[in-house]
Amino acid sequence: MKNVLIDLTQLPLERTGVGVYAVNYVRSLRRLAGLQRLHFLVLDDDPELLRDVRAIPGANAIVLKAALFRRFALRVLLEQCIIPFLAFTRGFDAVHSLHYSFPLCSFGRFKRIVTVCDMSFFLFPGLHVPVKRLFFRFFIRRLPKVEGLLFISASTMQDFMRDFPQCRAARRVMPLGADLARLAQAPDAALVQALRARFGIDRYILYVGTVEPRKNILGLVQAFERCAAAHPGVKLVIAGKLGWDYENLLQYLKSSAARERIVLAGYVNEAEKHALLKSALLFAYVSFYEGFGLPVLEGMAAGVATITSNISSMPEVAGDGALQVDPNDTAQIAAAMHGLLADPAARTALAARGLAQSRAFTWENTTAVSLDFYQEVLERNGMAASLQRQNE
C-alpha cells in the first residue's frame, strides 16, 4: 500500500476558498476508502480539522506547532526542508500540496501532486498584493515539473495549459462540491432572527466572499444602486472578510445614494452563511474571474435564485441553474437583479434549476477523483521508472 502525505498547514483558520475545499475533502475521506495510506500535516491551533483527520480510518496525523509554522519564513522552511525530510525518513510515496506551493526538490524519492485553484496571478496580476503575486507566480511557473496536477475546473486547466503548453505532468480536472444535505436543511430559526436583528435586514440580495478587487463588489454595488429605487424594501448584504485594496470601495459606499441599504456584514461562519443564504431573495456573485466559483455552487445548492458572471469557470459551474451576466456591464447586472426581484415566479423557477444543477457537484466526487488520481500518478511514474531501469 502506497503512503501519501497531504499538507494541511497552508490553511487559514477562517475558511474561505481553499480552506472550504480542504475541510470537505478531509471529511469525505472518512467515508471513502482509497488504495493508499494517508498521512496529514496539521497545525495544532486547528482542533476541528485535527478531529476530522483523526476520524479517517487508518489515517496518521502529524501535528506541528502553529506558533512556529504560521510564520511565513518557517512555513517556507517546513515546505522546502521538513516535508522532504519526512518523506525520505518515513517512506512517503507522494506529497499532495493543496494550494500552489510545494516542495521544489524531491530528488526522485516521492511524487509531488499539487492542486491548482486558479490562474488569476497570471491573468489578473494587478488584482493581487505584490508579495503574494511574486510568491505564487514563482511556484506556478514550476508546476510543469511536478508529477501530478489537479485542477478545480476545466477552465482553470485550459488557462494553465495556455501559459504552460510544455507541461508533461499528469493532469486531471477535479470539480469541487457542496454539502448538499446541509444546504438543503432549513436554517436555525433563532440564528436567522439574530442575524436579521444584528444587521437590520429583512428582504435582501446577498454576496458572500472576500472583499477584494477581483470579486467586482463595486460593480455589484453600482448595479444595486440602479435598481434600488424600484425595490425600496430590499437591501444588499456583503458578507465576507476584508481582503485587500478595499479602501476605494469603502470610500465609495460612504457617498452612495443607497448607503443606508448596503450592509457590510464582515466575515461569517458556516452556520451564519447558511442562515443568510437560505433567507436571501437573491444570491449575486459577479466576479471578474474564478478558478471554480464555490459560492455560486453553494448559492444554487441552498435553493436561492443566483446571478453570476458569464466568464471563466462560472458558466461551467452554473449551467442553466443561474442567471449569467457580463461582470463588466453594471446595467446588465442591474437588469438581472430587477427582473428577478420583480418576478417571484422567475425567482422560484431559477432557484429550482439551480438546485438541480448543484446536484452534479459533490464532495464525494471530488474525493473519489483525487484518490483515483493519486493512484494514476503513482502507477504512471512507477511504470516509467521500471521501464527506465530495464533499459539501463
Side-chain angles (χ1 to χ4, degrees):
M1 179 174 285
K2 298 292 186 178
N3 291 276
V4 178
L5 176 66
I6 300 172
D7 180 13
L8 300 176
T9 61
Q10 300 164 316
L11 308 181
L13 292 174
E14 292 184 344
R15 309 294 190 214
T16 60
V18 67
V20 175
Y21 149 53
V23 167
N24 284 282
Y25 178 44
V26 168
R27 289 174 181 167
S28 293
L29 285 168
R30 291 182 299 187
R31 301 183 291 275
L32 293 174
L35 298 176
Q36 311 88 19
R37 185 171 183 223
L38 302 179
H39 307 260
F40 297 84
L41 278 179
V42 191
L43 296 180
D44 62 4
D45 65 347
D46 202 335
E48 180 185 22
L49 186 59
L50 184 56
R51 184 173 60 250
D52 288 334
V53 164
R54 286 174 169 162
I56 300 171
N60 173 41
I62 303 170
V63 185
L64 303 176
K65 289 189 176 298
L68 293 175
F69 295 111
R70 289 234 183 253
R71 300 177 183 179
F72 177 75
L74 291 178
R75 172 77 190 85
V76 174
L77 177 68
L78 168 65
E79 190 169 70
Q80 300 308 320
C81 298
I82 298 176
I83 289 178
F85 176 77
L86 288 172
F88 294 159
T89 57
R90 302 196 182 190
F92 297 146
D93 299 288
V95 173
H96 182 189
S97 302
L98 303 185
H99 194 50
Y100 300 112
S101 61
F102 59 93
L104 293 172
C105 296
S106 66
F107 305 104
R109 298 287 295 275
F110 61 91
K111 312 307 176 188
R112 295 162 299 172
I113 299 169
V114 183
T115 298
V116 183
C117 294
D118 65 57
M119 286 294 289
S120 61
F121 292 101
F122 281 84
L123 294 172
F124 302 98
L127 298 183
H128 290 283
V129 179
V131 171
K132 287 181 66 175
R133 181 171 67 239
L134 289 170
F135 179 79
F136 287 116
R137 282 169 68 102
F138 172 85
F139 279 98
I140 291 170
R141 285 193 179 100
R142 286 153 181 79
L143 286 175
K145 296 182 179 180
V146 306
E147 288 72 34
L149 293 173
L150 284 165
F151 296 90
I152 63 174
S153 67
S155 171
T156 296
M157 185 164 74
Q158 290 164 7
D159 291 338
F160 179 85
M161 294 305 297
R162 189 179 305 117
D163 283 336
F164 302 100
Q166 79 282 10
C167 179
R168 295 294 180 265
R171 299 182 295 276
R172 183 82 66 91
V173 174
M174 174 205 65
L176 301 185
D179 189 340
L180 303 180
R182 181 183 61 82
L183 288 166
Q185 293 174 356
D188 180 272
L191 180 57
V192 170
Q193 290 305 315
L195 291 170
R196 288 183 183 278
R198 176 174 153 195
F199 298 125
I201 55 176
D202 181 22
R203 305 176 71 242
Y204 58 91
I205 300 167
L206 178 65
Y207 161 88
V208 178
T210 304
V211 178
E212 61 178 70
R214 178 165 59 95
K215 304 300 183 179
N216 191 27
I217 298 170
L218 180 58
L220 183 64
V221 167
Q222 291 172 337
F224 177 70
E225 289 173 331
R226 284 174 173 255
C227 65
H231 306 280
V234 177
K235 292 187 176 182
L236 173 63
V237 177
I238 299 169
K241 68 178 182 180
L242 296 178
W244 77 283
D245 199 14
Y246 50 80
E247 293 80 8
N248 289 341
L249 172 66
L250 298 184
Q251 193 63 37
Y252 183 90
L253 291 177
K254 288 180 181 179
S255 59
S256 170
R259 62 186 177 278
E260 299 301 324
R261 295 169 57 188
I262 300 172
V263 179
L264 288 175
Y267 176 78
V268 293
N269 62 34
E270 285 299 306
E272 292 169 333
K273 180 171 72 173
H274 179 245
L276 287 170
L277 277 170
K278 298 295 283 188
S279 303
L281 290 171
L282 299 175
F283 181 70
Y285 195 86
V286 289
S287 172
F288 289 125
Y289 174 83
E290 293 294 320
F292 180 81
L294 190 56
V296 177
L297 177 58
E298 291 182 332
M300 295 190 302
V304 57
T306 297
I307 300 170
T308 193
S309 302
N310 62 1
I311 56 176
S312 72
S313 65
M314 287 166 280
E316 188 178 333
V317 175
D320 69 349
L323 192 56
Q324 298 178 28
V325 295
D326 180 350
N328 295 291
D329 189 338
T330 55
Q332 191 177 134
I333 301 169
M337 288 180 178
H338 172 68
L340 289 171
L341 289 172
D343 189 343
R347 286 203 308 273
T348 301
L350 182 60
R353 294 200 303 273
L355 191 59
Q357 172 71 6
S358 72
R359 295 190 183 111
F361 299 89
T362 67
W363 290 117
E364 288 75 16
N365 180 65
T366 302
T367 302
V369 170
S370 300
L371 293 174
D372 183 66
F373 187 67
Y374 292 170
Q375 195 65 23
E376 177 189 333
V377 171
L378 291 166
E379 290 178 352
R380 170 179 173 173
N381 288 279
M383 289 169 59
S386 176
L387 288 171
Q388 182 178 354
R389 285 192 298 270
Q390 291 174 20
N391 292 328
E392 288 176 349

